[in-house]
Amino acid sequence: MEIVKLTREYKDEVFSMMREFYDSPALIHKSSDDVLNRDIEDCISDNPFIEGYVFLDDSGVVGYSMVAKSYTTEYGGLCIWVEDIYFKKAARGKGYGTSYFKFLEEEYPDAVRFKLEVESENEGAIATYYKNGYDISQYSLMTKEIDKDE
C-alpha cells in the first residue's frame, strides 16, 4: 500500500468514501455534504491543523484518513487525532491499517500522543487499534457542537 497526501486529484473519490463512512453506523453524527467538502478543502489547503491522506494499492484508491493536530498539556507536546480512517471493504484485513499507524509515527516523530474515537460495536477496528498499541481511555469525552451550517 502507498500513502499519499490528499490532493485535488483525489477529491471526488475521497468525498464518496467520506459519504459512505459518515452514513455508516461507525459515526454518531451524520455530517452534511457541505461539511465533508469543507474538510477536504481544508486538507488540500495550507490549514496547519488538518492533513489528509489517501491509500493506494494496485487496484487504485482503497481508503483515506484525516488527522488533526493539537497540543496535549498532559503529555507536553504534539497530539495527533486520527479523525477519519476508512478503507473500502476489499482493502480491509490486509494489514493496511497497521501500515498506516506505522506511517503516522514516522510522519509525526515529535508527537507524544495519538488519539482516535471508535464506536464500541466496531470490533474489527478496535482489534486493529489494540494491535497497534492503542487502548481504551479512562476519560469520558465531552463535547459541545456549534452548528455553523444553520
Side-chain angles (χ1 to χ4, degrees):
M1 177 186 71
E2 181 182 4
I3 301 167
V4 299
K5 289 269 189 169
L6 172 56
T7 61
R8 197 156 307 285
E9 150 187 19
Y10 299 110
K11 181 178 179 174
D12 291 342
E13 192 151 10
V14 168
F15 177 84
S16 177
M17 288 184 290
M18 289 180 79
R19 186 73 278 153
E20 185 173 328
F21 181 50
Y22 277 82
D23 289 342
S24 77
L27 286 118
I28 295 168
H29 181 258
K30 307 302 181 201
S31 295
S32 69
D33 288 355
D34 287 342
V35 168
L36 301 184
N37 277 311
R38 189 166 51 237
D39 292 344
I40 292 169
E41 287 299 323
D42 283 343
C43 285
I44 293 170
S45 77
D46 60 357
N47 185 318
F49 302 111
I50 186 140
E51 300 280 349
Y53 298 99
V54 176
F55 310 132
L56 307 166
D57 71 8
D58 293 340
S59 68
V61 175
V62 296
Y64 81 96
S65 180
M66 292 181 181
V67 299
K69 300 175 223 174
S70 67
Y71 189 91
T72 170
T73 57
E74 186 175 7
Y75 290 90
L78 178 64
C79 178
I80 299 298
W81 271 91
V82 180
E83 289 284 340
D84 292 9
I85 182 170
Y86 175 85
F87 288 98
K88 293 179 179 178
K89 287 183 183 176
R92 297 176 191 164
K94 294 185 173 187
Y96 292 168
T98 295
S99 295
Y100 180 58
F101 287 117
K102 288 178 184 174
F103 166 86
L104 285 178
E105 290 183 24
E106 292 169 4
E107 186 73 7
Y108 302 101
D110 295 334
V112 296
R113 184 179 228 186
F114 291 85
K115 293 172 97 172
L116 54 79
E117 296 173 342
V118 63
E119 286 295 307
S120 59
E121 298 85 22
N122 196 342
E123 295 174 6
I126 290 170
T128 297
Y129 303 151
Y130 274 130
K131 177 181 171 184
N132 286 282
Y134 289 74
D135 205 350
I136 301 295
S137 171
Q138 298 305 307
Y139 289 110
S140 294
L141 180 65
M142 297 178 68
T143 64
K144 177 181 178 182
E145 283 70 35
I146 308 297
D147 191 349
K148 302 290 184 184
D149 291 328
E150 290 187 0

mmCIF file with all atom_site columns, all heavy atoms in Angstrom, residues 57-79:
data_model
loop_
_atom_site.group_PDB
_atom_site.id
_atom_site.type_symbol
_atom_site.label_atom_id
_atom_site.label_alt_id
_atom_site.label_comp_id
_atom_site.label_asym_id
_atom_site.label_entity_id
_atom_site.label_seq_id
_atom_site.pdbx_PDB_ins_code
_atom_site.Cartn_x
_atom_site.Cartn_y
_atom_site.Cartn_z
_atom_site.occupancy
_atom_site.B_iso_or_equiv
_atom_site.pdbx_formal_charge
_atom_site.auth_seq_id
_atom_site.auth_comp_id
_atom_site.auth_asym_id
_atom_site.auth_atom_id
_atom_site.pdbx_PDB_model_num
ATOM 1   N N   . ASP A 1 57 ? -3.441  1.054  -3.625 1.00 0.00 ? 57 ASP A N   1
ATOM 2   C CA  . ASP A 1 57 ? -2.786  -0.219 -3.911 1.00 0.00 ? 57 ASP A CA  1
ATOM 3   C C   . ASP A 1 57 ? -2.937  -0.493 -5.405 1.00 0.00 ? 57 ASP A C   1
ATOM 4   O O   . ASP A 1 57 ? -3.324  0.409  -6.162 1.00 0.00 ? 57 ASP A O   1
ATOM 5   C CB  . ASP A 1 57 ? -3.283  -1.360 -3.015 1.00 0.00 ? 57 ASP A CB  1
ATOM 6   C CG  . ASP A 1 57 ? -4.692  -1.837 -3.299 1.00 0.00 ? 57 ASP A CG  1
ATOM 7   O OD1 . ASP A 1 57 ? -5.304  -1.402 -4.308 1.00 0.00 ? 57 ASP A OD1 1
ATOM 8   O OD2 . ASP A 1 57 ? -5.205  -2.662 -2.524 1.00 0.00 ? 57 ASP A OD2 1
ATOM 9   N N   . ASP A 1 58 ? -2.659  -1.691 -5.837 1.00 0.00 ? 58 ASP A N   1
ATOM 10  C CA  . ASP A 1 58 ? -2.708  -1.999 -7.270 1.00 0.00 ? 58 ASP A CA  1
ATOM 11  C C   . ASP A 1 58 ? -4.086  -1.766 -7.888 1.00 0.00 ? 58 ASP A C   1
ATOM 12  O O   . ASP A 1 58 ? -4.201  -1.563 -9.094 1.00 0.00 ? 58 ASP A O   1
ATOM 13  C CB  . ASP A 1 58 ? -2.278  -3.448 -7.517 1.00 0.00 ? 58 ASP A CB  1
ATOM 14  C CG  . ASP A 1 58 ? -0.803  -3.660 -7.201 1.00 0.00 ? 58 ASP A CG  1
ATOM 15  O OD1 . ASP A 1 58 ? -0.049  -2.675 -7.175 1.00 0.00 ? 58 ASP A OD1 1
ATOM 16  O OD2 . ASP A 1 58 ? -0.419  -4.826 -6.983 1.00 0.00 ? 58 ASP A OD2 1
ATOM 17  N N   . SER A 1 59 ? -5.128  -1.783 -7.077 1.00 0.00 ? 59 SER A N   1
ATOM 18  C CA  . SER A 1 59 ? -6.482  -1.583 -7.597 1.00 0.00 ? 59 SER A CA  1
ATOM 19  C C   . SER A 1 59 ? -6.866  -0.103 -7.672 1.00 0.00 ? 59 SER A C   1
ATOM 20  O O   . SER A 1 59 ? -7.913  0.232  -8.196 1.00 0.00 ? 59 SER A O   1
ATOM 21  C CB  . SER A 1 59 ? -7.493  -2.341 -6.732 1.00 0.00 ? 59 SER A CB  1
ATOM 22  O OG  . SER A 1 59 ? -7.575  -1.765 -5.437 1.00 0.00 ? 59 SER A OG  1
ATOM 23  N N   . GLY A 1 60 ? -6.030  0.781  -7.116 1.00 0.00 ? 60 GLY A N   1
ATOM 24  C CA  . GLY A 1 60 ? -6.335  2.216  -7.111 1.00 0.00 ? 60 GLY A CA  1
ATOM 25  C C   . GLY A 1 60 ? -6.516  2.729  -5.700 1.00 0.00 ? 60 GLY A C   1
ATOM 26  O O   . GLY A 1 60 ? -5.880  2.254  -4.753 1.00 0.00 ? 60 GLY A O   1
ATOM 27  N N   . VAL A 1 61 ? -7.415  3.692  -5.526 1.00 0.00 ? 61 VAL A N   1
ATOM 28  C CA  . VAL A 1 61 ? -7.685  4.278  -4.209 1.00 0.00 ? 61 VAL A CA  1
ATOM 29  C C   . VAL A 1 61 ? -8.484  3.278  -3.380 1.00 0.00 ? 61 VAL A C   1
ATOM 30  O O   . VAL A 1 61 ? -9.536  2.809  -3.808 1.00 0.00 ? 61 VAL A O   1
ATOM 31  C CB  . VAL A 1 61 ? -8.465  5.603  -4.338 1.00 0.00 ? 61 VAL A CB  1
ATOM 32  C CG1 . VAL A 1 61 ? -8.849  6.142  -2.969 1.00 0.00 ? 61 VAL A CG1 1
ATOM 33  C CG2 . VAL A 1 61 ? -7.653  6.639  -5.113 1.00 0.00 ? 61 VAL A CG2 1
ATOM 34  N N   . VAL A 1 62 ? -7.960  2.959  -2.190 1.00 0.00 ? 62 VAL A N   1
ATOM 35  C CA  . VAL A 1 62 ? -8.638  1.975  -1.336 1.00 0.00 ? 62 VAL A CA  1
ATOM 36  C C   . VAL A 1 62 ? -9.044  2.547  0.011  1.00 0.00 ? 62 VAL A C   1
ATOM 37  O O   . VAL A 1 62 ? -9.650  1.855  0.823  1.00 0.00 ? 62 VAL A O   1
ATOM 38  C CB  . VAL A 1 62 ? -7.770  0.710  -1.132 1.00 0.00 ? 62 VAL A CB  1
ATOM 39  C CG1 . VAL A 1 62 ? -7.567  -0.014 -2.452 1.00 0.00 ? 62 VAL A CG1 1
ATOM 40  C CG2 . VAL A 1 62 ? -6.446  1.037  -0.470 1.00 0.00 ? 62 VAL A CG2 1
ATOM 41  N N   . GLY A 1 63 ? -8.726  3.823  0.271  1.00 0.00 ? 63 GLY A N   1
ATOM 42  C CA  . GLY A 1 63 ? -9.123  4.419  1.535  1.00 0.00 ? 63 GLY A CA  1
ATOM 43  C C   . GLY A 1 63 ? -8.554  5.808  1.698  1.00 0.00 ? 63 GLY A C   1
ATOM 44  O O   . GLY A 1 63 ? -7.864  6.328  0.822  1.00 0.00 ? 63 GLY A O   1
ATOM 45  N N   . TYR A 1 64 ? -8.882  6.388  2.842  1.00 0.00 ? 64 TYR A N   1
ATOM 46  C CA  . TYR A 1 64 ? -8.381  7.724  3.162  1.00 0.00 ? 64 TYR A CA  1
ATOM 47  C C   . TYR A 1 64 ? -8.325  7.885  4.678  1.00 0.00 ? 64 TYR A C   1
ATOM 48  O O   . TYR A 1 64 ? -8.914  7.094  5.430  1.00 0.00 ? 64 TYR A O   1
ATOM 49  C CB  . TYR A 1 64 ? -9.283  8.816  2.558  1.00 0.00 ? 64 TYR A CB  1
ATOM 50  C CG  . TYR A 1 64 ? -10.505 9.090  3.400  1.00 0.00 ? 64 TYR A CG  1
ATOM 51  C CD1 . TYR A 1 64 ? -10.519 10.145 4.315  1.00 0.00 ? 64 TYR A CD1 1
ATOM 52  C CD2 . TYR A 1 64 ? -11.640 8.282  3.330  1.00 0.00 ? 64 TYR A CD2 1
ATOM 53  C CE1 . TYR A 1 64 ? -11.636 10.380 5.114  1.00 0.00 ? 64 TYR A CE1 1
ATOM 54  C CE2 . TYR A 1 64 ? -12.736 8.506  4.122  1.00 0.00 ? 64 TYR A CE2 1
ATOM 55  C CZ  . TYR A 1 64 ? -12.741 9.562  5.017  1.00 0.00 ? 64 TYR A CZ  1
ATOM 56  O OH  . TYR A 1 64 ? -13.818 9.794  5.818  1.00 0.00 ? 64 TYR A OH  1
ATOM 57  N N   . SER A 1 65 ? -7.644  8.917  5.109  1.00 0.00 ? 65 SER A N   1
ATOM 58  C CA  . SER A 1 65 ? -7.629  9.290  6.517  1.00 0.00 ? 65 SER A CA  1
ATOM 59  C C   . SER A 1 65 ? -7.428  10.789 6.625  1.00 0.00 ? 65 SER A C   1
ATOM 60  O O   . SER A 1 65 ? -6.845  11.415 5.737  1.00 0.00 ? 65 SER A O   1
ATOM 61  C CB  . SER A 1 65 ? -6.507  8.569  7.269  1.00 0.00 ? 65 SER A CB  1
ATOM 62  O OG  . SER A 1 65 ? -6.513  8.935  8.643  1.00 0.00 ? 65 SER A OG  1
ATOM 63  N N   . MET A 1 66 ? -7.918  11.349 7.714  1.00 0.00 ? 66 MET A N   1
ATOM 64  C CA  . MET A 1 66 ? -7.665  12.745 8.055  1.00 0.00 ? 66 MET A CA  1
ATOM 65  C C   . MET A 1 66 ? -7.204  12.790 9.499  1.00 0.00 ? 66 MET A C   1
ATOM 66  O O   . MET A 1 66 ? -7.756  12.097 10.355 1.00 0.00 ? 66 MET A O   1
ATOM 67  C CB  . MET A 1 66 ? -8.925  13.589 7.870  1.00 0.00 ? 66 MET A CB  1
ATOM 68  C CG  . MET A 1 66 ? -9.333  13.719 6.430  1.00 0.00 ? 66 MET A CG  1
ATOM 69  S SD  . MET A 1 66 ? -10.805 14.736 6.255  1.00 0.00 ? 66 MET A SD  1
ATOM 70  C CE  . MET A 1 66 ? -11.018 14.663 4.480  1.00 0.00 ? 66 MET A CE  1
ATOM 71  N N   . VAL A 1 67 ? -6.155  13.568 9.733  1.00 0.00 ? 67 VAL A N   1
ATOM 72  C CA  . VAL A 1 67 ? -5.636  13.725 11.093 1.00 0.00 ? 67 VAL A CA  1
ATOM 73  C C   . VAL A 1 67 ? -5.589  15.200 11.448 1.00 0.00 ? 67 VAL A C   1
ATOM 74  O O   . VAL A 1 67 ? -5.266  16.045 10.618 1.00 0.00 ? 67 VAL A O   1
ATOM 75  C CB  . VAL A 1 67 ? -4.245  13.076 11.271 1.00 0.00 ? 67 VAL A CB  1
ATOM 76  C CG1 . VAL A 1 67 ? -4.305  11.582 11.005 1.00 0.00 ? 67 VAL A CG1 1
ATOM 77  C CG2 . VAL A 1 67 ? -3.202  13.714 10.398 1.00 0.00 ? 67 VAL A CG2 1
ATOM 78  N N   . ALA A 1 68 ? -5.928  15.488 12.684 1.00 0.00 ? 68 ALA A N   1
ATOM 79  C CA  . ALA A 1 68 ? -5.891  16.854 13.200 1.00 0.00 ? 68 ALA A CA  1
ATOM 80  C C   . ALA A 1 68 ? -4.762  16.959 14.213 1.00 0.00 ? 68 ALA A C   1
ATOM 81  O O   . ALA A 1 68 ? -4.453  15.998 14.927 1.00 0.00 ? 68 ALA A O   1
ATOM 82  C CB  . ALA A 1 68 ? -7.221  17.217 13.851 1.00 0.00 ? 68 ALA A CB  1
ATOM 83  N N   . LYS A 1 69 ? -4.144  18.132 14.250 1.00 0.00 ? 69 LYS A N   1
ATOM 84  C CA  . LYS A 1 69 ? -3.014  18.360 15.156 1.00 0.00 ? 69 LYS A CA  1
ATOM 85  C C   . LYS A 1 69 ? -3.439  19.278 16.294 1.00 0.00 ? 69 LYS A C   1
ATOM 86  O O   . LYS A 1 69 ? -4.105  20.284 16.073 1.00 0.00 ? 69 LYS A O   1
ATOM 87  C CB  . LYS A 1 69 ? -1.862  18.995 14.391 1.00 0.00 ? 69 LYS A CB  1
ATOM 88  C CG  . LYS A 1 69 ? -1.357  18.158 13.242 1.00 0.00 ? 69 LYS A CG  1
ATOM 89  C CD  . LYS A 1 69 ? -0.300  18.915 12.475 1.00 0.00 ? 69 LYS A CD  1
ATOM 90  C CE  . LYS A 1 69 ? -0.513  18.736 10.998 1.00 0.00 ? 69 LYS A CE  1
ATOM 91  N NZ  . LYS A 1 69 ? 0.383   19.540 10.206 1.00 0.00 ? 69 LYS A NZ  1
ATOM 92  N N   . SER A 1 70 ? -3.045  18.892 17.501 1.00 0.00 ? 70 SER A N   1
ATOM 93  C CA  . SER A 1 70 ? -3.299  19.726 18.675 1.00 0.00 ? 70 SER A CA  1
ATOM 94  C C   . SER A 1 70 ? -2.143  19.554 19.657 1.00 0.00 ? 70 SER A C   1
ATOM 95  O O   . SER A 1 70 ? -1.181  18.843 19.380 1.00 0.00 ? 70 SER A O   1
ATOM 96  C CB  . SER A 1 70 ? -4.634  19.348 19.333 1.00 0.00 ? 70 SER A CB  1
ATOM 97  O OG  . SER A 1 70 ? -4.572  18.047 19.891 1.00 0.00 ? 70 SER A OG  1
ATOM 98  N N   . TYR A 1 71 ? -2.262  20.190 20.792 1.00 0.00 ? 71 TYR A N   1
ATOM 99  C CA  . TYR A 1 71 ? -1.235  20.114 21.827 1.00 0.00 ? 71 TYR A CA  1
ATOM 100 C C   . TYR A 1 71 ? -1.851  19.444 23.046 1.00 0.00 ? 71 TYR A C   1
ATOM 101 O O   . TYR A 1 71 ? -2.984  19.731 23.415 1.00 0.00 ? 71 TYR A O   1
ATOM 102 C CB  . TYR A 1 71 ? -0.749  21.517 22.196 1.00 0.00 ? 71 TYR A CB  1
ATOM 103 C CG  . TYR A 1 71 ? 0.454   21.506 23.108 1.00 0.00 ? 71 TYR A CG  1
ATOM 104 C CD1 . TYR A 1 71 ? 1.737   21.522 22.585 1.00 0.00 ? 71 TYR A CD1 1
ATOM 105 C CD2 . TYR A 1 71 ? 0.301   21.455 24.491 1.00 0.00 ? 71 TYR A CD2 1
ATOM 106 C CE1 . TYR A 1 71 ? 2.845   21.495 23.418 1.00 0.00 ? 71 TYR A CE1 1
ATOM 107 C CE2 . TYR A 1 71 ? 1.405   21.425 25.330 1.00 0.00 ? 71 TYR A CE2 1
ATOM 108 C CZ  . TYR A 1 71 ? 2.671   21.444 24.788 1.00 0.00 ? 71 TYR A CZ  1
ATOM 109 O OH  . TYR A 1 71 ? 3.771   21.410 25.612 1.00 0.00 ? 71 TYR A OH  1
ATOM 110 N N   . THR A 1 72 ? -1.123  18.535 23.665 1.00 0.00 ? 72 THR A N   1
ATOM 111 C CA  . THR A 1 72 ? -1.582  17.907 24.899 1.00 0.00 ? 72 THR A CA  1
ATOM 112 C C   . THR A 1 72 ? -0.735  18.412 26.061 1.00 0.00 ? 72 THR A C   1
ATOM 113 O O   . THR A 1 72 ? 0.477   18.184 26.101 1.00 0.00 ? 72 THR A O   1
ATOM 114 C CB  . THR A 1 72 ? -1.547  16.370 24.824 1.00 0.00 ? 72 THR A CB  1
ATOM 115 O OG1 . THR A 1 72 ? -1.788  15.834 26.140 1.00 0.00 ? 72 THR A OG1 1
ATOM 116 C CG2 . THR A 1 72 ? -0.240  15.814 24.299 1.00 0.00 ? 72 THR A CG2 1
ATOM 117 N N   . THR A 1 73 ? -1.366  19.106 26.989 1.00 0.00 ? 73 THR A N   1
ATOM 118 C CA  . THR A 1 73 ? -0.640  19.581 28.168 1.00 0.00 ? 73 THR A CA  1
ATOM 119 C C   . THR A 1 73 ? -0.335  18.431 29.114 1.00 0.00 ? 73 THR A C   1
ATOM 120 O O   . THR A 1 73 ? 0.655   18.457 29.833 1.00 0.00 ? 73 THR A O   1
ATOM 121 C CB  . THR A 1 73 ? -1.449  20.659 28.914 1.00 0.00 ? 73 THR A CB  1
ATOM 122 O OG1 . THR A 1 73 ? -2.732  20.131 29.275 1.00 0.00 ? 73 THR A OG1 1
ATOM 123 C CG2 . THR A 1 73 ? -1.622  21.899 28.046 1.00 0.00 ? 73 THR A CG2 1
ATOM 124 N N   . GLU A 1 74 ? -1.164  17.400 29.088 1.00 0.00 ? 74 GLU A N   1
ATOM 125 C CA  . GLU A 1 74 ? -0.962  16.242 29.958 1.00 0.00 ? 74 GLU A CA  1
ATOM 126 C C   . GLU A 1 74 ? 0.348   15.520 29.646 1.00 0.00 ? 74 GLU A C   1
ATOM 127 O O   . GLU A 1 74 ? 1.017   15.010 30.533 1.00 0.00 ? 74 GLU A O   1
ATOM 128 C CB  . GLU A 1 74 ? -2.149  15.302 29.817 1.00 0.00 ? 74 GLU A CB  1
ATOM 129 C CG  . GLU A 1 74 ? -2.133  14.146 30.773 1.00 0.00 ? 74 GLU A CG  1
ATOM 130 C CD  . GLU A 1 74 ? -3.393  13.310 30.693 1.00 0.00 ? 74 GLU A CD  1
ATOM 131 O OE1 . GLU A 1 74 ? -4.239  13.544 29.803 1.00 0.00 ? 74 GLU A OE1 1
ATOM 132 O OE2 . GLU A 1 74 ? -3.518  12.400 31.526 1.00 0.00 ? 74 GLU A OE2 1
ATOM 133 N N   . TYR A 1 75 ? 0.710   15.494 28.351 1.00 0.00 ? 75 TYR A N   1
ATOM 134 C CA  . TYR A 1 75 ? 1.933   14.821 27.935 1.00 0.00 ? 75 TYR A CA  1
ATOM 135 C C   . TYR A 1 75 ? 2.982   15.779 27.403 1.00 0.00 ? 75 TYR A C   1
ATOM 136 O O   . TYR A 1 75 ? 4.068   15.373 27.021 1.00 0.00 ? 75 TYR A O   1
ATOM 137 C CB  . TYR A 1 75 ? 1.611   13.741 26.886 1.00 0.00 ? 75 TYR A CB  1
ATOM 138 C CG  . TYR A 1 75 ? 0.861   12.581 27.503 1.00 0.00 ? 75 TYR A CG  1
ATOM 139 C CD1 . TYR A 1 75 ? -0.522  12.575 27.561 1.00 0.00 ? 75 TYR A CD1 1
ATOM 140 C CD2 . TYR A 1 75 ? 1.544   11.516 28.070 1.00 0.00 ? 75 TYR A CD2 1
ATOM 141 C CE1 . TYR A 1 75 ? -1.210  11.525 28.153 1.00 0.00 ? 75 TYR A CE1 1
ATOM 142 C CE2 . TYR A 1 75 ? 0.866   10.469 28.654 1.00 0.00 ? 75 TYR A CE2 1
ATOM 143 C CZ  . TYR A 1 75 ? -0.507  10.474 28.701 1.00 0.00 ? 75 TYR A CZ  1
ATOM 144 O OH  . TYR A 1 75 ? -1.176  9.436  29.289 1.00 0.00 ? 75 TYR A OH  1
ATOM 145 N N   . GLY A 1 76 ? 2.651   17.056 27.353 1.00 0.00 ? 76 GLY A N   1
ATOM 146 C CA  . GLY A 1 76 ? 3.622   18.078 26.991 1.00 0.00 ? 76 GLY A CA  1
ATOM 147 C C   . GLY A 1 76 ? 4.117   18.018 25.562 1.00 0.00 ? 76 GLY A C   1
ATOM 148 O O   . GLY A 1 76 ? 5.323   18.010 25.337 1.00 0.00 ? 76 GLY A O   1
ATOM 149 N N   . GLY A 1 77 ? 3.184   18.007 24.597 1.00 0.00 ? 77 GLY A N   1
ATOM 150 C CA  . GLY A 1 77 ? 3.634   18.012 23.220 1.00 0.00 ? 77 GLY A CA  1
ATOM 151 C C   . GLY A 1 77 ? 2.518   17.812 22.219 1.00 0.00 ? 77 GLY A C   1
ATOM 152 O O   . GLY A 1 77 ? 1.327   17.898 22.540 1.00 0.00 ? 77 GLY A O   1
ATOM 153 N N   . LEU A 1 78 ? 2.938   17.532 21.004 1.00 0.00 ? 78 LEU A N   1
ATOM 154 C CA  . LEU A 1 78 ? 2.032   17.378 19.878 1.00 0.00 ? 78 LEU A CA  1
ATOM 155 C C   . LEU A 1 78 ? 1.138   16.151 20.036 1.00 0.00 ? 78 LEU A C   1
ATOM 156 O O   . LEU A 1 78 ? 1.611   15.058 20.345 1.00 0.00 ? 78 LEU A O   1
ATOM 157 C CB  . LEU A 1 78 ? 2.854   17.248 18.583 1.00 0.00 ? 78 LEU A CB  1
ATOM 158 C CG  . LEU A 1 78 ? 2.096   17.018 17.281 1.00 0.00 ? 78 LEU A CG  1
ATOM 159 C CD1 . LEU A 1 78 ? 1.198   18.208 16.940 1.00 0.00 ? 78 LEU A CD1 1
ATOM 160 C CD2 . LEU A 1 78 ? 3.078   16.743 16.146 1.00 0.00 ? 78 LEU A CD2 1
ATOM 161 N N   . CYS A 1 79 ? -0.148  16.364 19.815 1.00 0.00 ? 79 CYS A N   1
ATOM 162 C CA  . CYS A 1 79 ? -1.129  15.275 19.817 1.00 0.00 ? 79 CYS A CA  1
ATOM 163 C C   . CYS A 1 79 ? -1.703  15.161 18.416 1.00 0.00 ? 79 CYS A C   1
ATOM 164 O O   . CYS A 1 79 ? -2.101  16.164 17.815 1.00 0.00 ? 79 CYS A O   1
ATOM 165 C CB  . CYS A 1 79 ? -2.248  15.567 20.818 1.00 0.00 ? 79 CYS A CB  1
ATOM 166 S SG  . CYS A 1 79 ? -3.545  14.305 20.838 1.00 0.00 ? 79 CYS A SG  1
#
